[in-house]
Amino acid sequence: MPTRAEDEDWSDSDDEALSGVETDVLLGVPDGRVESDSDLRDAAVSRIGGLPALLPSREPPFPSSQCKNCSSPMELLVQVWCPFENSPMDRALYIWGCARASCQRQPGSVRAWRALRYNADYAAKLEKKKARKDAERQAASPTPANNANPFSVQAPAAPSPFNLGDQIFGQTSSSPFEPPPTVEVDKDDDQSDDESEASSTEDSLITAMASTTIQESPWTAAPSYPPIYLSTMAEYIPPAPKSKIPDNARMEDSADDDKGGKDGAWGLEAYENTLKVDLVFERFTRRIGHTADQCLRYELKGTPLPFASDKVFEVLFPAPPQDPLPVTGAAFKVVSPVKRSYNVSSIPHCSVCKSSRVFECQLMPNLINVIRAAAKDKDVDGDRKLTDAERIKAVQAVLKSNQSTGMEWGTCMVFSCEKDCCLADGGQDATECWREEHVLVQWDE
């Protein structure tokens, strides 16, 4: 069984310790085109691109998808089905991004929204499950025997690291870390619970599909990429490869070779290049290289993976204060490497309940490649169905537009309300809501 790993701090040297482990991160990977109309309308089906399957019963305002710079409607990048465990609320995330060149590196060109909707059927099941567990707890708590060993230690069951339900990304969880139940219950109740669990997914999907339809709304005219299924898998970091150099191997210095030039410029150039390496970006590429097709990383209340050492990195991973270095030789002091800690104090609080926001997910560079390839395939298929006159007209429209497109971000981090609030304007609890969350973007320089 692979071990678990936590990664709350950042340094240049501790990444090597994460090898041969399974992290708490769920990876979203592309899994084929969405062809089913029912899946396209189902909010519980996570996807890349396509039109949004809106969860609230009342249609959200269309300007939610508009870029804050050019005011044009943006394409949906991903829609993620991510309900919380033991919560009666259906939940989904929607992330839009503007592809206009003039809007790149501008705030508001990537926007994320959180949708909640009360699921009455699932809420009733949760109440029944809670009542059954309370009854079992009372029946299984007699007076302890006097001969019990006071020094025995029993490991408590580890809670889910994500605090998520079994339907994240619209799939059933198969985590090997969830301990099996040990309490014996009545046979009839057990069978009823099994039937309830077996039908929970179906009921949730029916509820999600009964949400807002966009057949006659401005959402149908919004630009969109071809829809692609977004499947999930756990992140696994394989062990580092063992060196193939024998222990008794002899290493020779090649500094005197003629290939280096008379002035040794070749060796000096290699050394100077290493000084320009962005260690944050190097770690980013090494980490995602284990699963290169990942388009999304999901770790509720986890730690984001920084793309580069820019202003966003300095804000999220501030360097700790250090004493000034001595200026005299007698006061020689060894300075240990800087250990940066993840800090969300700079993230704006929830605008509704004023609670802190926590990291939830981030988009990865491969998402741009997947979207670009899917759009190119769509154009090829469309050209085959066009007449010569229609094709010429389409080319002329592109030439006249003079609008270059293409997203240029390295990663987009989404921070959502820690309490996952669902409040009305007056502050009282609501049965559904549509809330914008905070997005930090690291651009690809």
Side-chain angles (χ1 to χ4, degrees):
M1 178 182 298
T3 57
R4 309 294 293 182
E6 296 183 358
D7 192 14
E8 297 181 356
D9 296 334
W10 195 99
S11 70
D12 297 344
S13 58
D14 62 353
D15 196 45
E16 287 76 8
L18 292 177
S19 61
V21 297
E22 186 174 279
T23 71
D24 291 336
V25 179
L26 291 177
L27 303 180
V29 296
D31 196 16
R33 292 282 294 270
V34 182
E35 303 291 350
S36 171
D37 291 338
S38 60
D39 286 349
L40 292 174
R41 297 192 306 269
D42 190 354
V45 176
S46 298
R47 70 200 67 184
I48 297 172
L51 293 175
L54 299 172
L55 186 59
S57 59
R58 292 176 296 178
E59 183 178 287
F62 184 70
S64 302
S65 65
Q66 291 179 347
C67 175
K68 291 186 177 181
N69 300 283
C70 64
S71 300
S72 299
M74 300 182 290
E75 291 86 353
L76 179 70
L77 300 181
V78 295
Q79 174 177 333
V80 183
W81 175 253
C82 47
F84 286 6
E85 186 177 15
N86 297 327
S87 172
M89 308 297 289
D90 289 335
R91 185 175 186 274
L93 283 179
Y94 304 80
I95 306 176
W96 281 273
C98 185
R100 289 175 179 261
S102 58
C103 297
Q104 303 307 297
R105 293 172 173 78
Q106 300 296 328
S109 60
V110 179
R111 304 178 67 180
W113 293 79
R114 172 175 57 95
L116 295 175
R117 183 181 181 183
Y118 183 73
N119 188 330
D121 293 338
Y122 191 65
K125 293 177 182 179
L126 289 177
E127 290 295 331
K128 180 181 177 181
K129 184 178 180 180
K130 181 178 181 298
R132 180 177 62 84
K133 286 188 175 182
D134 291 342
E136 292 173 357
R137 190 179 299 108
Q138 294 178 359
S141 58
T143 303
N146 295 330
N147 59 353
N149 183 3
F151 302 101
S152 62
V153 178
Q154 293 181 353
S160 170
F162 304 105
N163 194 28
L164 300 173
D166 291 339
Q167 300 173 37
I168 179 124
F169 289 79
Q171 298 184 359
T172 302
S173 173
S174 58
S175 173
F177 305 99
E178 182 179 356
T182 57
V183 180
E184 294 184 1
V185 297
D186 184 75
K187 183 176 181 180
D188 294 338
D189 292 341
D190 187 39
Q191 182 178 1
S192 176
D193 292 334
D194 291 341
E195 293 176 355
S196 176
E197 293 295 333
S199 61
S200 63
T201 300
E202 180 180 356
D203 291 342
S204 181
L205 298 185
I206 292 175
T207 301
M209 292 183 65
S211 59
T212 303
T213 58
I214 59 173
Q215 294 180 355
E216 296 181 358
S217 74
W219 293 97
T220 57
S224 64
Y225 300 115
I228 301 173
Y229 287 108
L230 185 66
S231 298
T232 179
M233 62 183 296
E235 182 189 40
Y236 175 73
I237 302 179
K242 296 181 180 180
S243 176
K244 297 182 180 180
I245 301 178
D247 296 336
N248 59 351
R250 178 182 177 185
M251 304 298 293
E252 295 183 357
D253 188 3
S254 60
D256 297 333
D257 293 346
D258 294 337
K259 297 180 180 179
K262 295 181 180 180
D263 55 353
W266 180 82
L268 180 61
E269 180 183 0
Y271 176 76
E272 290 178 346
N273 287 340
T274 60
L275 298 179
K276 302 177 183 178
V277 172
D278 186 342
L279 296 178
V280 179
F281 178 73
E282 188 179 58
R283 185 186 186 191
F284 178 88
T285 55
R286 183 169 60 248
R287 184 70 172 267
I288 68 174
H290 302 303
T291 310
D293 59 342
Q294 60 182 276
C295 295
L296 181 136
R297 296 174 65 87
Y298 191 99
E299 187 185 12
L300 182 65
K301 297 183 180 181
T303 305
L305 182 64
F307 174 75
S309 55
D310 56 4
K311 293 181 179 179
V312 174
F313 172 74
E314 294 293 338
V315 168
L316 294 178
F317 299 87
Q322 291 182 299
D323 296 333
L325 296 176
V327 295
T328 61
F332 177 76
K333 181 180 179 181
V334 177
V335 180
S336 58
V338 175
K339 184 81 170 182
R340 297 173 179 262
S341 297
Y342 174 56
N343 192 328
V344 295
S345 59
S346 61
I347 302 300
H349 288 198
C350 176
S351 59
V352 180
C353 70
K354 309 306 178 182
S355 299
S356 300
R357 281 191 171 104
V358 295
F359 172 75
E360 183 163 1
C361 65
Q362 66 184 112
L363 305 182
M364 306 305 288
N366 187 51
L367 177 63
I368 299 178
N369 299 329
V370 172
I371 288 175
R372 184 184 297 116
K376 184 177 180 181
D377 293 341
K378 179 182 179 181
D379 293 339
V380 172
D381 294 339
D383 288 343
R384 294 174 181 172
K385 300 176 183 179
L386 295 177
T387 63
D388 292 340
E390 291 173 336
R391 189 179 297 109
I392 293 175
K393 185 177 180 180
V395 172
Q396 291 175 344
V398 172
L399 294 177
K400 292 180 180 179
S401 64
N402 292 326
Q403 285 286 350
S404 59
T405 60
M407 292 177 288
E408 300 175 0
W409 45 260
T411 187
C412 305
M413 308 173 186
V414 178
F415 298 82
S416 57
C417 176
E418 184 178 21
K419 294 184 178 179
D420 199 38
C421 67
C422 187
L423 303 176
D425 295 336
Q428 65 274 21
D429 291 336
T431 57
E432 60 182 44
C433 70
W434 178 258
R435 297 285 182 260
E436 185 168 14
E437 297 296 359
H438 189 67
V439 179
L440 284 181
V441 182
Q442 289 188 284
W443 300 99
D444 187 7
E445 302 295 342

